[in-house]
Amino acid sequence: MSQQHTVWVLGDGQLGAMLSHAGQPLAIDVRPVDIMAPTGDTLPIDASHIITAEREQWPESSTSLQLSTHAHFINGPVFGRLADRFTQKSLLDELKVATSPWQLVDDKVQADDLHQAYGDRVLLKRRTGGYDGKGQHWLKQAEATSIPNDWRNEAIAEQAINFDEEVSLVGVRTQDGRCLFYPLTLNLHQDGILMASIAPLARLSHLQDEAESMLSTIMNGLEYVGVMAMECFRIGEHLLVNELAPRVHNSGHWTQTGCHINQFELHLRALCNLPIHTPQVNFQCVMVNLIGIEKDDRWLSLPNAELFWYNKEVRSGRKVGHLNLSIHNTAALNETINQLKLWMPTQYQAPLDWILAEFA
Ligand code: ATP
Ligand code: MG
């Protein structure tokens, strides 16, 4: 017994493309939509179709309105709530999920008040629109930096967290409320942007239960359906939530190579109410983000590498692809990483060394 499934995606970037790719073998018709394309036409969306989004925020257009007001826009109210850091952090507090101490930057608060509350370094983050470290502003007591005027009521202030490292958990909640998870992923960010991920790691497994319990609380609290990602700071033996993404996530890209059901397929299965079980991990993987660099076919000569190229115009700081490296033995991984070090520009040397150090 089979049903024809059609899933429209609000947004047509790489996440939408990878959702389409994952839908193909299951004959799920995935249709990413460029919401800003100038079209007066209405989309041929049927009442039985399902709508999801590859981004948490979008400009209003006739297309985005048509998608976001559809009766089957799954998790509709969640997007706005998580897209605004003020309501996202408020939710974490309400659910008593540990997160970095924070407050709204309102009309009255002064930089001194924030330093008194959080210490000599305070991170201001725009409530909406920030990504890849954009929309951040550090207040430094020593330099007497002040709150930019146009950030008032538009930003939150966070304590600077002196974390040991960053990890994330990608999980799914089904329509009948079951929560399933991938193993924790170790992430390296450089200048606010994800450079590389490694998963799974035995040394993180003792944190898995704590992480799963946090993300279960969040997904259940929101009655969420589909894949959600939770970015965390590891401080000693505990986790603090940094932020949530109500969608498939860059730190879950390793599952395309490492798992028998990747995060894109898992999301589609949950949306379409298809059977779901815990994804098996086939290989440990390293994911290297390709940021602002031209495609290099030499990458294809690496025996343990899979290339995902997004076919976007290459611009500085822009995510244009990723490489998934499956790890069958450490010697082969080291060889690949050392080869990449010769081919990749300066900003990759530290992330590639970070990978080597993890397996040293
Ligand atoms: P994304 O692209 O994941 O949506 P973002 O730019 O929206 O990221 P965050 O994830 O909040 O914003 O921050 C980016 C990075 O900045 C984090 O991964 C972390 O490295 C650093 N960072 C964020 N908050 C803090 C904090 N309170 N203390 C120290 N570092 C932080
Ligand atoms: Mg982040």
Side-chain angles (χ1 to χ4, degrees):
M1 208 173 73
S2 174
Q3 198 188 326
Q4 176 58 47
H5 298 283
T6 301
V7 178
W8 295 82
V9 185
L10 204 157
D12 71 338
Q14 67 264 21
L15 299 179
M18 289 188 276
L19 282 167
S20 298
H21 184 230
Q24 263 170 21
L26 303 188
I28 300 174
D29 181 4
V30 180
R31 304 184 188 175
V33 180
D34 174 0
I35 48 173
M36 293 318 281
T39 164
D41 305 339
T42 49
L43 301 166
I45 310 180
D46 194 80
S48 68
H49 290 177
I50 285 164
I51 322 293
T52 189
E54 60 150 26
R55 47 198 288 176
E56 42 273 72
Q57 229 191 342
W58 47 85
E60 196 170 294
S61 68
S62 60
T63 313
S64 67
L65 262 177
Q66 198 198 342
L67 291 165
S68 62
T69 54
H70 190 280
H72 292 161
F73 181 37
I74 313 284
N75 306 313
V78 174
F79 291 100
R81 200 157 168 201
L82 296 191
D84 181 341
R85 289 186 191 274
F86 174 68
T87 46
Q88 183 181 135
K89 292 287 252 183
S90 304
L91 171 77
L92 292 169
D93 288 352
E94 273 164 42
L95 295 173
K96 299 192 169 47
V97 173
T99 185
S100 32
W102 70 283
Q103 69 180 76
L104 179 68
V105 178
D106 62 15
D107 288 324
K108 286 181 257 117
V109 76
Q110 296 303 322
D112 279 347
D113 305 325
L114 295 175
H115 290 303
Q116 209 145 49
Y118 305 125
D120 50 356
R121 287 169 72 247
V122 176
L123 183 55
L124 305 189
K125 292 181 179 176
R126 300 287 297 182
R127 285 172 58 172
T128 58
Y131 67 98
D132 294 346
K134 295 176 179 73
Q136 293 192 354
H137 179 90
W138 280 99
L139 292 182
K140 295 179 187 147
Q141 197 161 25
E143 296 168 22
T145 35
S146 56
I147 301 172
N149 266 336
D150 55 352
W151 284 49
R152 288 192 182 275
N153 297 307
E154 298 294 333
I156 63 162
E158 274 187 26
Q159 183 175 326
I161 304 298
N162 193 12
F163 51 80
D164 293 300
E165 56 194 7
E166 295 187 72
V167 302
S168 60
L169 186 70
V170 175
V172 70
R173 186 172 177 276
T174 62
Q175 293 188 11
D176 57 5
R178 283 185 306 137
C179 295
L180 303 168
F181 304 91
Y182 292 103
L184 277 165
T185 303
L186 180 68
N187 298 317
L188 180 72
H189 292 85
Q190 192 168 274
D191 303 323
I193 188 164
L194 182 68
M195 294 297 287
S197 297
I198 307 173
L201 279 172
R203 70 173 180 80
L204 295 178
S205 61
H206 67 292
L207 296 167
Q208 187 76 22
D209 285 351
E210 182 189 4
E212 290 189 3
S213 139
M214 292 163 113
L215 187 49
S216 299
T217 301
I218 295 160
M219 292 196 294
N220 288 329
L222 292 168
E223 296 186 28
Y224 187 79
V225 173
V227 164
M228 184 181 283
M230 176 178 80
E231 296 180 23
C232 294
F233 300 130
R234 179 178 75 77
I235 305 154
E237 300 312 305
H238 286 288
L239 300 176
L240 273 187
V241 174
N242 172 35
E243 63 166 351
L244 303 169
R247 54 174 168 77
V248 287
H249 191 256
N250 197 168
S251 70
H253 288 0
W254 68 272
T255 64
Q256 291 171 303
T257 299
C259 297
H260 92 297
I261 303 176
N262 69 43
Q263 63 164 349
F264 302 97
E265 180 176 335
L266 201 63
H267 187 57
L268 293 174
R269 286 196 194 204
L271 296 180
C272 299
N273 207 14
L274 289 165
I276 287 198
H277 33 92
T278 301
Q280 285 164 30
V281 177
N282 293 331
F283 319 110
Q284 189 184 34
C285 284
V286 168
M287 190 275 321
V288 178
N289 256 348
L290 302 167
I291 299 164
I293 54 174
E294 297 292 339
K295 181 158 164 280
D296 184 340
D297 288 338
R298 288 178 300 179
W299 297 329
L300 299 176
S301 68
L302 301 168
N304 47 4
E306 252 185 282
L307 172 64
F308 296 80
W309 187 254
Y310 309 154
N311 232 353
K312 303 199 294 197
E313 190 195 330
V314 178
R315 277 190 243 131
S316 161
R318 189 177 206 204
K319 289 176 184 167
V320 288
H322 66 273
L323 280 172
N324 279 349
L325 311 173
S326 49
I327 307 171
H328 303 284
N329 67 72
T330 311
L333 175 73
N334 285 349
E335 210 169 297
T336 294
I337 301 291
N338 281 317
Q339 188 59 65
L340 283 172
K341 283 188 59 140
L342 298 176
W343 293 336
M344 308 283 269
T346 338
Q347 67 273 26
Y348 279 90
Q349 301 305 312
L352 293 168
D353 284 336
W354 174 83
I355 296 165
L356 289 176
E358 186 62 39
F359 293 96

